Each structure stands twice: as C-alpha cells, then as structure tokens.
C-alpha cells in the first residue's frame, strides 16, 4: 500500500452539525503517503480514535470515502482486512489492548507467532533499549501504564507494515522514554519505508513530521 486517501470523511455523529465542524481532516481531502510521518492533533471528543478505527476497518459509521491506494475500504472483505492487519497496517492502541493476565513475553508472542517477524533476540533488544527487559516474564497487570505503552510499541513492530498508527503513544512516558520510542520508530521508517500516523491530545511523539493536521 502506497497511500491512504480520505475523501470528505465525517463521523456520522457529527453529521447534524457538520456546518460547525472546523477540521483539517474531517470533510477535507487528505492523503497519507508511505514513507512519510504525520501528526494529528486533537482535543478530546473530536473523533481521533474513531478515525483510527475507520483506518483499521473496525467501524464504518462515517460519511465520505477512505481509499487504500485506489480501493475503497468499504469494498474490502473480512479476509482482505485480516491480510491488511497482518502485513500492511499496524497499530499501537490508545488503550493498548494487552492481556493483563499474560506476561510481556506471552503478549508479544501472541502476535509474533502469527507473523514470525521478529527473532527472540530482536524482541529482547527492543525491550532492553526501552528499559523493560526485566519485565519480560512479568504479568502485564504488574506493569505501569508507561511500561505497557513501551511493550505495546514492540508488539506493533512485530509485523511488516506499510503504515504504523500510533494513538497517543507517549501519554504516560517521560521525555527520555519518548525520545527513545521516537528513535526506534524513526529507525524502522528508514529501514522499511513505512508511513507513520501519530495522534496526540497533549504530549507529542518527537518525530520530524512531514505534515501536521488539526482534527
């Protein structure tokens, strides 16, 4: 996938008041290109997480059209979405969606056994760089939210992808750990040419963004 295009997309919930919508995303023509990084800034309630759900195919309660290259996502089958989520789109969710009763290692293996993308040494290297290698065999419920965010990044990277979606990835990280996460993401961008779309309502992942949009 080389590009994601939004044609006058608007969540249905905003339809009755669309004349009052002031956004650089909603009701506009927006294109995200592979190999570039984008920041979407939004205050709470503007539909940030909804947008990511649309891009992942989990929801379709919107007006307008979303295209992956030249394909309207409304035309994709379940099997096509499954393929896309395994090999072309990856995500770090705002609520992380980790399994608290499992260890950090087991959470990572749930995905990596499907993709066979990272070696054990690569996983441990990521965790070490992020300062949570000592949590490898600790249950997620025993980890802080910031530690879980770093773990969720490694899980998001445990697959090939053309676009990486990061929904408030550093909301519970200090500046040092935010910088470390940024360097890891930037390195993967350089090595794989993936596009990165980051959302933020406060702290912003420190990347060199090609474009910034206000939702």
């Amino acid at each position: 996938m080389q590009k994601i295009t939004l044609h006058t997309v608007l969540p249905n919930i905003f339809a009755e008041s669309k004349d009052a919508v002031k956004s650089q995303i909603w009701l506009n023509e927006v294109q995200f290109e592979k190999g570039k990084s984008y920041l979407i800034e939004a205050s709470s309630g503007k539909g940030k997480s909804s947008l990511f759900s649309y891009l992942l195919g989990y929801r379709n309660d919107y007006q307008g059209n979303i295209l992956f290259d030249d394909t309207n996502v409304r035309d994709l089958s379940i099997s096509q979405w499954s393929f896309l989520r395994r090999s072309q789109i990856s995500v770090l969710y705002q609520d992380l969606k980790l399994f608290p009763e499992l260890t950090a290692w087991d959470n990572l293996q749930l995905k990596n056994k499907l993709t066979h993308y990272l070696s054990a040494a690569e996983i441990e290297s990521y965790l070490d760089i992020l300062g949570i290698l000592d949590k490898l065999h600790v249950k997620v419920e025993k980890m802080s939210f910031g530690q879980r965010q770093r773990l969720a990044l490694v899980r998001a990277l445990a697959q090939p992808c053309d676009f990486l979606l990061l929904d408030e990835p550093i909301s519970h990280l200090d500046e040092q750990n935010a910088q470390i996460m940024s360097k890891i993401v930037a390195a993967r961008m350089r090595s794989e040419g993936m596009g990165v779309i980051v959302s933020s309502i406060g702290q912003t992942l420190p990347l060199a963004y090609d474009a910034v949009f206000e939702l």
Side-chain angles (χ1 to χ4, degrees):
M1 187 196 315
Q2 296 299 313
K3 62 183 179 180
I4 297 173
T5 305
L6 277 62
H7 291 289
T8 61
V9 171
L10 182 71
N12 289 343
I13 194 171
F14 297 150
E16 292 185 0
S17 57
K18 67 179 181 181
D19 290 341
V21 171
K22 306 296 182 183
S23 170
Q24 294 177 318
I25 297 289
W26 303 136
L27 295 174
N28 282 291
E29 183 89 5
V30 180
Q31 189 168 100
F32 304 110
E33 297 179 17
K34 184 180 178 183
K36 295 184 177 182
S37 57
Y38 303 89
L39 175 64
I40 298 175
E41 297 181 322
S43 55
S44 182
K46 294 294 185 179
K48 170 185 56 61
S49 293
S50 295
L51 173 61
F52 276 28
S53 293
Y54 302 156
L55 297 179
L56 290 163
Y58 295 147
R59 291 172 52 187
N60 61 4
D61 55 324
Y62 60 87
Q63 303 176 1
N65 293 295
I66 298 173
L67 275 64
F68 291 169
D69 292 333
D70 296 320
T71 300
N72 193 315
V73 301
R74 295 187 190 275
D75 298 329
L76 295 174
S77 65
I78 293 175
S79 61
Q80 287 174 312
W81 273 116
S82 179
F83 172 78
L84 282 164
R85 294 170 192 148
R86 287 197 312 271
S87 61
Q88 294 186 316
I89 301 178
S90 190
V91 60
L92 189 165
Y93 299 94
Q94 180 184 349
D95 60 0
L96 308 183
K97 299 192 185 302
L98 297 167
F99 293 89
E101 71 277 12
L102 300 180
T103 66
W105 174 258
D106 289 338
N107 269 276
L108 294 173
Q109 287 306 303
L110 283 174
K111 184 169 193 177
N112 203 51
K113 285 182 178 179
L114 294 174
T115 64
H116 304 288
Y117 197 67
L118 296 179
S119 68
E122 287 172 323
I123 289 174
E124 292 184 8
S125 177
Y126 274 134
L127 296 178
D128 189 28
I129 293 170
L130 289 163
I132 53 172
L133 181 57
D134 61 329
K135 305 299 181 183
L136 184 61
H137 299 296
V138 173
K139 289 185 177 181
V140 167
E141 63 189 5
K142 302 294 185 182
M143 299 169 63
S144 70
F145 197 89
Q147 291 169 338
R148 296 180 193 187
Q149 281 186 310
R150 284 173 272 171
L151 176 63
L153 174 67
V154 179
R155 184 187 59 185
L157 296 177
Q159 69 167 80
C161 67
D162 296 322
F163 287 91
L164 175 64
L165 312 182
L166 303 174
D167 194 359
E168 294 188 57
I170 61 168
S171 61
H172 287 69
L173 297 186
D174 57 29
E175 183 177 352
Q176 180 179 358
N177 281 306
Q179 289 287 347
I180 293 170
M181 182 180 285
S182 175
K183 289 178 181 178
I184 290 174
V185 172
R188 281 288 290 267
M189 285 187 67
R190 289 192 298 270
S191 65
E192 299 184 16
M194 66 184 183
V196 176
I197 304 174
V198 181
S199 74
S200 173
I201 62 171
Q203 290 177 281
T204 300
L205 185 70
L207 282 176
Y209 293 101
D210 291 284
V212 178
F213 297 97
E214 186 172 342
L215 190 60

